[in-house]
Amino acid sequence: MNFRTQIPIQKQQHNQVDYHSKVLLLGSCFVENIGDKLSYYKFQTLQNPFGILFHPLAIEALITDAINDKEFTEDDIFLHNELWHYFGAHSKLSSPSKEALLQKLSQQITATKEWLNSATHIVITLGTAWVYRYIETDIIVANCHKIPQKQFQKELLSVDAVIESLQAILVLLKEYNPKTQVIFTVSPVRHLKDGFVENTQSKAHLISAIHQVINKEQSHYFPSYEIMMDELRDYRFYVKDMLHPNETAIDYIWERFQNIWIADEALLTMKTITEIQKGLQHKPFNSKSEAHQVFLKKLELKKRAILEAFPHIIF
């Protein structure tokens, strides 16, 4: 007997991720779960250069600004709670120094442009269709930076509005980097601060819009949300907040992603890198013992073999 349903997903036949690929990851906190896995296995990645971005308009704005070489000035940033912030970035970029923030924004926008130009794959994970409009400037922000909510107007992006944003993203990417593959996914993290019904409505808008724009040539859909909601429909797959997937769930979704998007020829390298990573974390009882010295020599040989094949890898 089979006690659960499994979502059938066809393996990607072309343009898979290997150790020559460059993967840019943008979007919600779940994209960082996938990004952390790729980073652990030493794939070439850049992950959320402007921090976590939850909705499509924020991701569209970042891509547009990067391609257009946006230059940041003091007019773009503001002081709140003794920190300087930028409405288009996550608060992890915020700084007590406005000069430091402007420098950081400039560095990150340059890095984003470089990766948009060279990325073989761009993973975009959408978290919500709910957005906040800053009333003073009538601009939708990526992050409210703990400014009082009364200064914002909360809005739900319509399906058409999400479609328009995603189409703009795809047009920009196709013109700037025609060979890149875009992988859309919807975060399985539920935004229950919006409300239970409102979260479902939001996710539905995102999913409906994505399926209107994907073409299976340049853009694709990976069902991380559906895997979490259907295959892992049990609270034992969540952390204590009962909203975010736990390590077991992340490992499972990563395994499904790996089976579809990671090239078969990369799997042996991944296995060796896992052995190296575990070896680097190993703490011996006696660091001067002969057995440990033999272990270190074997570990070094594995590292050399990997670095000869892929010089860009850093342990």
Side-chain angles (χ1 to χ4, degrees):
M1 296 178 67
N2 190 356
F3 290 99
R4 67 187 179 98
T5 55
Q6 188 170 37
I7 297 169
I9 315 173
Q10 289 187 341
K11 187 175 182 66
Q12 183 70 15
Q13 298 300 317
H14 307 285
N15 301 309
Q16 291 180 302
V17 176
D18 59 25
Y19 278 92
H20 300 290
S21 303
K22 297 188 70 175
V23 185
L24 173 62
L25 301 109
L26 302 171
S28 81
C29 50
F30 182 73
V31 82
E32 301 200 337
N33 298 144
I34 298 297
D36 288 346
K37 290 292 186 183
L38 290 167
S39 180
Y40 177 84
Y41 290 109
K42 298 300 179 181
F43 289 94
Q44 299 181 81
T45 65
L46 177 65
Q47 180 177 301
N48 273 343
F50 267 41
I52 293 169
L53 302 175
F54 293 103
H55 61 77
L57 296 184
I59 298 169
E60 179 191 351
L62 171 59
I63 293 171
T64 302
D65 289 343
I67 291 175
N68 292 332
D69 294 312
K70 179 177 174 63
E71 294 184 8
F72 294 94
T73 68
E74 292 185 17
D75 293 335
D76 295 309
I77 61 178
F78 62 93
L79 184 65
H80 179 65
N81 286 341
E82 301 182 30
L83 288 174
W84 288 90
H85 307 276
Y86 174 54
F87 272 134
H90 190 268
S91 55
K92 80 171 190 177
L93 272 72
S94 299
S95 171
S97 164
K98 64 180 178 181
E99 291 80 12
L101 174 58
L102 289 171
Q103 183 180 12
K104 194 179 298 184
L105 290 171
S106 178
Q107 290 172 344
Q108 295 300 82
I109 206 75
T110 299
T112 303
K113 181 173 184 176
E114 291 174 354
W115 275 77
L116 286 172
N117 182 53
S118 60
T120 56
H121 301 78
I122 300 175
V123 180
I124 296 177
T125 298
L126 304 180
T128 182
W130 287 102
V131 298
Y132 288 86
R133 186 183 298 274
Y134 189 45
I135 295 172
E136 184 177 324
T137 59
D138 196 37
I139 293 175
I140 291 174
V141 303
N143 195 292
C144 296
H145 300 295
K146 297 184 179 180
I147 291 176
Q149 190 168 349
K150 64 182 180 181
Q151 298 186 37
F152 297 90
Q153 179 178 321
K154 185 177 179 180
E155 303 174 9
L156 178 65
L157 296 175
S158 66
V159 176
D160 287 342
V162 179
I163 289 173
E164 184 178 344
S165 180
L166 298 184
Q167 286 177 334
I169 288 172
L170 290 175
V171 168
L172 284 167
L173 295 177
K174 189 170 184 179
E175 290 179 353
Y176 193 64
N177 182 357
K179 295 182 180 180
T180 194
Q181 298 292 306
V182 182
I183 305 169
F184 287 112
T185 186
V186 171
S187 171
V189 178
R190 294 173 297 156
H191 292 241
L192 295 188
K193 288 183 179 180
D194 296 322
F196 284 83
V197 174
E198 291 81 358
N199 171 73
T200 301
Q201 188 179 13
S202 166
K203 299 292 190 185
H205 284 206
L206 297 177
I207 294 168
S208 296
I210 290 173
H211 285 289
Q212 291 293 316
V213 302
I214 56 174
N215 55 34
K216 296 185 179 179
E217 294 177 2
Q218 180 203 16
S219 53
H220 315 265
Y221 181 67
F222 175 72
S224 57
Y225 177 80
E226 290 81 356
I227 291 171
M228 191 73 201
M229 294 299 108
D230 204 294
E231 295 189 33
L232 305 177
R233 54 163 71 188
D234 192 297
Y235 279 110
R236 73 179 185 272
F237 296 116
Y238 288 84
V239 296
K240 288 183 179 181
D241 68 3
M242 299 298 170
L243 301 176
H244 291 77
N246 63 16
E247 187 175 345
T248 300
I250 292 168
D251 287 345
Y252 182 86
I253 296 173
W254 160 255
E255 186 177 313
R256 298 299 306 274
F257 182 88
Q258 174 183 303
N259 290 341
I260 297 162
W261 276 101
I262 303 299
D264 290 341
E265 59 267 26
L267 299 179
L268 186 59
T269 302
M270 290 173 65
K271 181 180 178 182
T272 304
I273 287 177
T274 299
E275 294 170 356
I276 294 171
Q277 294 279 49
K278 290 181 178 179
L280 292 172
Q281 295 170 5
H282 175 67
K283 294 181 180 179
F285 289 110
N286 181 2
S287 61
K288 296 182 180 179
S289 69
E290 183 178 346
H292 184 61
Q293 298 308 309
V294 171
F295 169 81
L296 290 178
K297 288 180 181 178
K298 290 181 178 180
L299 184 63
E300 187 61 31
L301 288 174
K302 290 179 181 178
K303 286 172 62 178
R304 286 182 185 177
I306 290 292
L307 295 175
E308 286 178 7
F310 309 105
H312 65 268
I313 290 179
I314 298 174
F315 288 103

